[in-house]
Amino acid sequence: MSADTLRHYERMKLLAVPRRSAGNYRMYPPDALDRVRLIRRALGVGFSLAELVKILKVRDGGGAPCRHVKSLLEEKLLQVNEQITELIALREHLGTVLKDWDRRLDGTPEGKPARLLESLASLEMKGKTT
């Protein structure tokens, strides 16, 4: 992990500002490593730094933000499912476009324009009427 990332976490109050060595190097306490690992894992499942700031502030203040954290993760799962649905629809649309373009290219003499990009408008209209 880069020093810039650690400084960013400090600025966001995700990490406590460490004490300094005689040479002005940051000296993190041993529990800072666990905190950084927690942050990285949370980022890995989709939490934002801003969300973590709020969550960890409550936690560090002695609160138990567990139900809120679970609610946020449920929301993220819903968003991922929506994205998957949209991606599946896009995949199907792209397959339809490619089939249409194959037909157009098969009927177009070599060296002549098939106007593939222009055909997108007619495919869009077909999609709206069906």
Side-chain angles (χ1 to χ4, degrees):
M1 171 165 300
S2 74
D4 285 342
T5 299
L6 292 174
R7 286 191 293 271
H8 184 64
Y9 289 175
E10 288 172 30
R11 284 190 300 273
M12 293 192 75
K13 308 255 190 280
L14 288 167
L15 278 179
V17 177
R19 62 185 182 88
R20 297 286 183 148
S21 70
N24 205 29
Y25 288 100
R26 285 175 165 79
M27 297 185 57
Y28 292 95
D31 64 339
L33 180 58
D34 291 335
R35 180 73 162 221
V36 169
R37 285 180 177 148
L38 180 139
I39 293 166
R40 300 303 286 176
R41 284 191 300 266
L43 291 171
V45 297
F47 286 97
S48 70
L49 288 175
E51 289 168 331
L52 289 175
V53 167
K54 293 175 187 174
I55 292 165
L56 293 176
K57 183 177 180 180
V58 171
R59 183 177 161 181
D60 293 344
C66 300
R67 293 185 192 287
H68 177 64
V69 170
K70 180 182 180 278
S71 174
L72 286 172
L73 193 63
E74 288 171 338
E75 191 176 309
K76 289 175 189 318
L77 179 58
L78 286 173
Q79 291 170 352
V80 166
N81 284 331
E82 288 174 11
Q83 289 174 331
I84 289 170
T85 300
E86 291 169 4
L87 286 171
I88 289 170
L90 177 60
R91 180 182 64 192
E92 292 170 1
H93 178 67
L94 293 175
T96 300
V97 169
L98 282 173
K99 285 178 187 175
D100 179 69
W101 286 7
D102 283 340
R103 283 191 301 275
R104 288 175 186 275
L105 287 172
D106 287 346
T108 302
E110 187 71 32
K112 296 290 183 184
R115 305 273 184 231
L116 298 179
L117 293 176
E118 288 80 359
S119 72
L120 292 174
S122 65
L123 285 171
E124 185 178 292
M125 293 308 292
K126 285 181 188 177
K128 288 182 181 177
T129 59
T130 56

